[in-house]
Amino acid sequence: MRRRAFLASALTAASTTAAGCSAADSQTEHTNPTVTTDDGPRDNGKYLEFHGGSGTLATVGVDPEFSPLPSFFFTSISHPEDTELRSLTQRFVALDGNGTPPRLSLQGPFMGDYEPYPSVSLFRDGKAAVVDVHRFGELADETVFIELPVTRWPESASRLVVESTVKLVEPGVIDRTHVLDGQLEFEFTTETETDERTAESLGSSGS
């Protein structure tokens, strides 16, 4: 399978209607993925592995970068060569915060060489920052990578939930559409918690 980084140009909103499904197709929902993690103790990546009757359908990964708050999210989607990505919706929800959603940007530019080009929008919905890939275009049959810098993180939020919905198609006389739903959870240390622990450590060492 060809691999190419999928990077969207920075924007706050765009909209394009995704192509409709064929009248002759079947759709299956998958809502119980296996969650795996990176092996390294300093690695933060987690992955949703979706399986079908013939093996792995797709692996959706989110690898956050903390410093100590989230500063970057790296999303990846790998899938078999005989399948195509139709759409992706990811909701990034900050828990334990002040109720405001995170602010993300899309790092670019696009790396598609030919039409149809990928189409992406980024917006806020309630407490979530939402990344919506309406169309993958010529990248539909490739492993996809999306880089999402965090421009603002809600104060005091120390937990993150990433909800992912992927539409994947097995083309054929009758297209088989798979809707993959799952979520990943992350916990991290806020600056306030770091300062409190540092103060406690200094107080203990001086006693």
Side-chain angles (χ1 to χ4, degrees), residues 168-185:
L168 184 75
V169 174
E170 294 180 84
V173 176
I174 298 179
D175 288 349
R176 297 182 60 188
T177 300
H178 300 274
V179 180
L180 316 177
D181 272 311
Q183 71 175 37
L184 295 169
E185 299 184 11

Side-chain angles (χ1 to χ4, degrees), residues 16-17 46 60 65 68 95 101 105 109 136 138 167 184 195 202:
T16 301
T17 304
K46 294 185 179 183
V60 182
E65 184 177 290
L95 303 179
S105 62
F136 283 94
E138 65 151 331
K167 280 192 177 182
L184 295 169
D195 293 341
L202 291 173

Side-chain angles (χ1 to χ4, degrees), residues 69-70 73 94 102-103 150-155 157-160 188:
L69 298 177
F73 297 125
R103 289 187 181 179
V150 180
T151 59
R152 181 176 169 182
W153 186 257
E155 183 179 353
S158 60
R159 290 191 297 155
L160 165 72
F188 50 91

